[in-house]
Amino acid sequence: MDNKFQKIRNDFPILKQKVNDEPLAYLDNAATSQKPQAVIDEIVRYYQNDNANTHRSVHTLGERATEEYEEARGKVQKFINAPESREIIFTKGTTDSLNLLAATYGETNINAGDEIVVSYMEHHSNLIPWQQLALRKHATLKYIELTADGQLDMDDASRKITDKTKIVAIAHVSNVLGVTNDIKKLAAITHQHNAVIVVDGAQAVPHQPVDFQALDVDFYAFSGHKMLGPMGIGVLYGKSELLNAMPPYQYGGEMIDFVEKYQSTWTDIPWKFEAGTQNVIGAIGLGKAIDYLTEIGMQNIADYEHELVSYALPKMLGIPGITVYGPHDSTIHNGVISFNLSNLHPHDLATALDMEGVAVRAGHHCAQPLMKYLGVVATARASFYFYNNRADVDQLLQAIQETKEFFKV
């Protein structure tokens, strides 16, 4: 392993432990990432020194907390190259962001007979809000097909997105298939039909450089906990002209301008969508995580993870009885590898791997329509991050071999 990345691995205290008397090989990063000591220390520092409510107090602690909270917003803006910091809304996570959109932009702009276009690879968070909106509004929900190796069928996308389409909701990176979608091209197709594109970036922003202005997305959602930050913090980006036209999502403190007995007015974005006491330490922790990722370099992270996949994928494909879902070409397969082993249930497989210290995911991965599309009930999933190494891959491969021998599959 590159010395730089071996040194980085030492920044993550949780990785130093043993699980079931074996070194921990944490390969469930698509579910959540581990946290470096710098982020952990930042959380402790804030609670020990600056804890206060934001935007409401003129005392020193309140001013410091507000400054750090808004500074974190600026770090997010710079990290994703958004035009303005006021286009960054802090939420609880990707799921909260997408529900906010469906309940505001969706409720305002979708009418009977309109079309919403999604794909078969969507996480439930980027499917159910649009599915239920379509049901409420008597709109049509359409699915973009996949190619034989699990990539988005761009020809079908061009057919499915029409002048009746009002929203295209798509994952930037699949949490199951290990594919990255061409968001820039999809955005161009969407805008040709005067629709808006909503992107679920939960699996993209932590792993590769993402430039929102270059992609020309209308809305984009991602989560802090998948990119070294705390749980319970997320981001919704939206173009300012769209956000300004949207009604509030929740009502209460901080999101108001004036409140009279029988009517109220709302403050400006982003605060219009941040009612009540916010997850201040979540935002500050996310800001520290961004500092950490920026210092390493997102392109360096993407390149290193590609090296790991290029090492792991051919070896997994060479194991008799293994079925890998998504592209078998490592040049277009990212750090999510979903697989099954013969007729062994994925839960049994994951339990067996855990006994060897290997943490993987098993289940439908909040993508039941995709599982049905693939003709399976569930899969196991190994997902990598930049603090993983070839030893983790070798431990996974050895654990699979031992599982094969134990279950005689």
Side-chain angles (χ1 to χ4, degrees):
M1 184 182 186
D2 184 280
N3 288 335
K4 178 182 178 182
F5 281 94
Q6 180 60 54
K7 188 175 181 180
I8 285 169
R9 185 178 174 90
N10 293 332
D11 290 341
F12 294 81
I14 199 169
L15 300 179
K16 299 174 183 178
Q17 66 180 291
K18 288 191 172 183
V19 171
N20 296 317
D21 296 322
E22 299 289 345
L24 171 62
Y26 182 79
L27 301 177
D28 193 19
N29 294 287
T32 197
S33 66
Q34 299 304 336
K35 319 308 173 192
Q37 192 65 52
V39 171
I40 296 169
D41 290 345
E42 182 73 352
I43 292 170
V44 174
R45 180 205 61 78
Y46 172 80
Y47 279 129
Q48 287 181 336
N49 296 282
D50 297 339
N51 184 44
N53 218 324
T54 57
H55 301 114
R56 305 180 188 188
S57 304
V58 295
H59 59 71
T60 299
L61 294 187
E63 289 180 350
R64 288 206 304 246
T66 299
E67 183 179 352
E68 292 177 58
Y69 181 72
E70 293 302 332
E71 186 181 68
R73 197 190 307 275
K75 289 179 181 180
V76 173
Q77 176 206 354
K78 183 178 180 181
F79 188 68
I80 59 177
N81 193 29
E84 304 176 76
S85 64
R86 68 195 188 107
E87 295 175 320
I88 305 302
I89 299 165
F90 285 125
T91 65
K92 292 188 296 183
T94 305
T95 300
D96 190 38
S97 296
L98 295 168
N99 276 275
L100 186 161
L101 273 180
T104 53
Y105 185 88
E107 286 288 346
T108 304
N109 290 279
I110 294 296
N111 298 299
D114 289 341
E115 296 177 351
I116 302 170
V117 178
V118 297
S119 81
Y120 278 101
M121 68 175 69
E122 299 313 310
H123 188 283
H124 294 164
S125 295
N126 199 35
L127 170 60
I128 300 174
W130 310 116
Q131 177 196 78
Q132 295 303 305
L133 176 66
L135 288 171
R136 288 195 304 274
K137 294 287 190 170
H138 303 288
T140 300
L141 189 66
K142 296 166 69 175
Y143 286 80
I144 301 171
E145 301 286 331
L146 308 181
T147 63
D149 65 350
Q151 297 186 76
L152 195 69
D153 187 331
M154 295 299 291
D155 290 335
D156 191 55
S158 295
R159 290 190 294 269
K160 293 288 172 61
I161 301 170
T162 71
D163 288 343
K164 290 185 178 181
T165 303
K166 294 296 183 291
I167 295 172
V168 176
I170 204 79
H172 195 162
V173 171
S174 170
N175 74 315
V176 175
L177 295 170
V179 297
T180 301
N181 292 321
D182 190 341
I183 296 301
K184 186 173 183 177
K185 185 174 181 179
L186 281 167
I189 296 170
T190 300
H191 294 151
Q192 286 171 5
H193 295 280
N194 297 314
V196 301
I197 186 167
V198 176
V199 182
D200 170 3
Q203 302 295 338
V205 172
H207 300 280
Q208 63 187 46
V210 180
D211 184 330
F212 284 16
Q213 293 191 63
L215 294 176
D216 194 22
V217 291
D218 299 299
F219 298 104
Y220 196 109
F222 60 97
S223 298
H225 73 97
K226 296 182 190 292
M227 52 185 291
L228 313 183
M231 291 185 174
I233 189 71
V235 170
L236 171 63
Y237 159 80
K239 290 181 177 176
S240 57
E241 62 270 23
L242 298 173
L243 294 174
N244 280 324
M246 287 160 46
Y249 180 47
Q250 295 175 324
Y251 302 96
E254 200 57 39
M255 51 74 62
I256 55 90
D257 188 10
F258 290 102
V259 176
E260 305 291 347
K261 285 177 67 176
Y262 300 109
Q263 61 184 4
S264 300
T265 57
W266 321 127
T267 192
D268 297 328
I269 60 170
W271 306 287
K272 180 173 75 170
F273 295 105
E274 294 179 359
T277 297
Q278 292 299 293
N279 183 0
V280 179
I281 187 54
I284 293 170
L286 175 57
K288 192 66 175 181
I290 286 173
D291 291 341
Y292 188 94
L293 291 168
T294 301
E295 184 175 350
I296 299 171
M298 292 308 298
Q299 189 59 55
N300 291 332
I301 289 171
D303 291 344
Y304 176 73
E305 289 181 19
H306 177 68
E307 290 178 16
L308 275 183
V309 173
S310 297
Y311 178 74
L313 186 59
K315 293 180 181 297
M316 291 186 68
L317 289 168
I319 299 174
I322 285 277
T323 301
V324 173
Y325 303 94
H328 290 184
D329 180 354
S330 61
T331 64
I332 56 172
H333 197 120
N334 60 49
V336 173
I337 302 178
S338 294
F339 62 100
N340 277 322
L341 176 59
S342 300
N343 60 353
L344 189 63
H345 194 283
H347 288 164
D348 294 329
L349 174 57
T351 300
L353 297 182
D354 181 61
M355 295 303 297
E356 302 299 323
V358 180
V360 301
R361 198 75 159 180
H364 53 65
H365 313 298
C366 295
Q368 286 181 306
L370 176 58
M371 294 295 114
K372 183 173 287 189
Y373 191 92
L374 296 173
V376 297
V377 175
T379 72
R381 182 187 70 190
S383 50
F384 303 98
Y385 211 1
F386 62 90
Y387 45 65
N388 292 122
N389 56 22
R390 289 193 175 194
D392 292 331
V393 176
D394 291 339
Q395 191 172 338
L396 168 66
L397 297 170
Q398 180 62 32
I400 292 173
Q401 291 288 3
E402 293 181 7
T403 301
K404 279 175 57 67
E405 294 171 10
F406 181 84
F407 286 102
K408 295 180 174 57
V409 294

